[in-house]
Amino acid sequence: MKDELVKALALDGHVRIYIDRTTHMVQEAKERFDMNPTATAALGRTLSIASMMGSMLKSDQEMLTININGHGPIGSIVVDAYANGNVRGFVSDPQVKDAFKNGKLDAGAVVGKDGYLSVTKDLNMEQNFKGTVELQSGEIGDDFAYYFTVSEQTPTAVSVGVLIGTDGNVLSAGGLIIQMMPDASDTDISICEHVLEGLKPMSTIIQEYDDVELSQLAKDLFEDVKIVETREIRFSCSCSKERSQEILMTLPKEDIQKMIDEDGGCEITCNFCNEKYQFSKEELEAILEKMNA
């Protein structure tokens, strides 16, 4: 089934629900960066949550950037998310050595928890909004629940998961965010707590709903669900050879000349998607000529 994101309301509009299936986008990230399983799990969880957070933005001109650094062996996790739910992202060490706990991949061990989670929102205003919290566990889901509660003052439950097969490929991935609106009652909160108590691991749920639209999952969680929006989502990067050329033109002319004389060209790699752009000697000479014009 395709990757998708569902936004819904429940309990007379007192509860907001976001659900996404991200199996294909996490698999694409895994392949682009040749990631080991634990790195795939860590980045995949962040991509899943980022996609839902991106869909909370109010216009297509807005975006947000998530940066997680728990001073663990994986280094930083950086993800960009857009209002349409599309995302892109990377980790510092995609080949970090796998860690396990009770026979399962231990994302928290490679992320670490002696650090921070920050969210920077570009709301197309004079100044960006930035919220930063200390990591609670490095398991990603708990850390984002803490971020929403502390930084955005919105009581939030977050469930996220990535299931990796024995061959290293992604079997299922996705996330769930449940947020209490300001007018939520104690009864609404109790109902949500009951739903969450009976919740299976998110990767298991996504696997079980693999051939079912996610709107059905929302309806199965709450009786009075109103589906607000359903959309396809994907791993999507805005890089291009033209943008790479613009980056080259910000370099000192001597550096461009050195690439021409010593290397006969250059290669630029996008951090966010690992796409590579080749520039021949002739193309660099044309860039240098344009810079001298």
Side-chain angles (χ1 to χ4, degrees):
M1 199 77 172
K2 63 184 181 297
D3 285 352
E4 65 174 344
L5 185 147
V6 171
K7 294 193 279 187
L9 294 171
L11 303 179
D12 293 325
H14 297 165
V15 174
R16 279 187 304 212
I17 305 164
Y18 299 85
I19 311 173
D20 64 5
R21 179 193 292 114
T22 59
T23 306
H24 297 296
M25 73 162 62
V26 177
Q27 175 66 18
E28 180 173 345
K30 182 261 179 196
E31 292 173 355
R32 282 183 175 274
F33 295 101
D34 189 26
M35 290 194 294
N36 283 347
T38 313
T40 302
L43 178 59
R45 292 178 186 182
T46 310
L47 290 170
S48 297
I49 295 173
S51 178
M52 293 184 283
M53 291 181 68
S55 76
M56 298 175 189
L57 298 172
K58 292 180 172 58
S59 79
D60 292 339
Q61 283 70 50
E62 300 176 359
M63 65 165 291
L64 60 85
T65 299
I66 293 168
N67 193 313
I68 300 173
N69 192 327
H71 297 107
I74 201 172
S76 293
I77 302 173
V78 182
V79 172
D80 282 348
Y82 301 88
N84 61 6
N86 291 345
V87 291
R88 62 178 188 168
F90 65 94
V91 299
S92 298
D93 186 0
Q95 281 82 46
V96 65
K97 185 178 179 181
D98 287 325
F100 298 90
K101 184 177 182 180
N102 300 324
K104 297 182 179 180
L105 293 172
D106 188 358
V110 299
V111 173
K113 59 180 180 180
D114 183 24
Y116 62 87
L117 181 162
S118 73
V119 178
T120 302
K121 295 183 180 180
D122 181 353
L123 303 179
N124 205 28
M125 298 172 68
E126 199 167 298
Q127 288 187 324
N128 293 340
F129 164 86
K130 184 173 183 178
T132 302
V133 296
E134 293 182 356
L135 286 175
Q136 300 303 294
S137 68
E139 290 289 336
I140 310 300
D142 295 340
D143 299 302
F144 274 99
Y146 182 72
Y147 163 80
F148 279 114
T149 301
V150 173
S151 188
E152 301 197 1
Q153 298 181 342
T154 305
T156 303
V158 179
S159 179
V160 64
V162 177
L163 180 63
I164 310 291
T166 55
D167 60 356
N169 288 317
V170 181
L171 297 179
S172 66
L176 166 69
I177 290 176
I178 297 177
Q179 294 187 323
M180 308 305 301
M181 303 293 277
D183 54 355
S185 66
D186 290 342
T187 300
D188 296 327
I189 295 171
S190 296
I191 292 173
C192 288
E193 288 175 344
H194 178 72
V195 169
L196 293 166
E197 285 170 3
L199 205 64
K200 296 179 182 178
M202 202 62 207
S203 57
T204 301
I205 294 174
I206 294 298
Q207 196 171 32
E208 291 177 349
Y209 281 78
D210 183 55
D211 57 351
V212 182
E213 292 187 355
L214 286 185
S215 57
Q216 184 59 50
L217 172 55
K219 294 172 184 176
D220 290 343
L221 291 175
F222 293 91
E223 292 181 357
D224 69 335
V225 158
K226 176 185 176 183
I227 304 299
V228 176
E229 183 181 8
T230 300
R231 63 172 54 174
E232 291 188 38
I233 52 175
R234 59 183 56 85
F235 188 104
S236 177
C237 189
S238 58
C239 70
S240 65
K241 188 163 184 175
E242 290 72 23
R243 290 195 175 191
S244 297
Q245 178 175 309
E246 292 172 5
I247 293 171
L248 284 172
M249 293 184 69
T250 65
L251 298 177
K253 296 177 183 178
E254 310 85 70
D255 290 354
I256 303 292
Q257 190 63 57
K258 188 175 180 181
M259 293 177 195
I260 295 171
D261 297 337
E262 297 183 8
D263 304 316
C266 74
E267 178 181 274
I268 293 181
T269 302
C270 175
N271 284 339
F272 278 96
C273 70
N274 212 33
E275 193 73 33
K276 294 175 173 54
Y277 298 98
Q278 307 285 342
F279 289 85
S280 66
K281 176 182 177 182
E282 291 73 22
E283 287 174 316
L284 291 180
E285 288 173 341
I287 290 172
L288 194 57
E289 185 177 339
K290 188 180 292 187
M291 293 170 69
N292 288 325

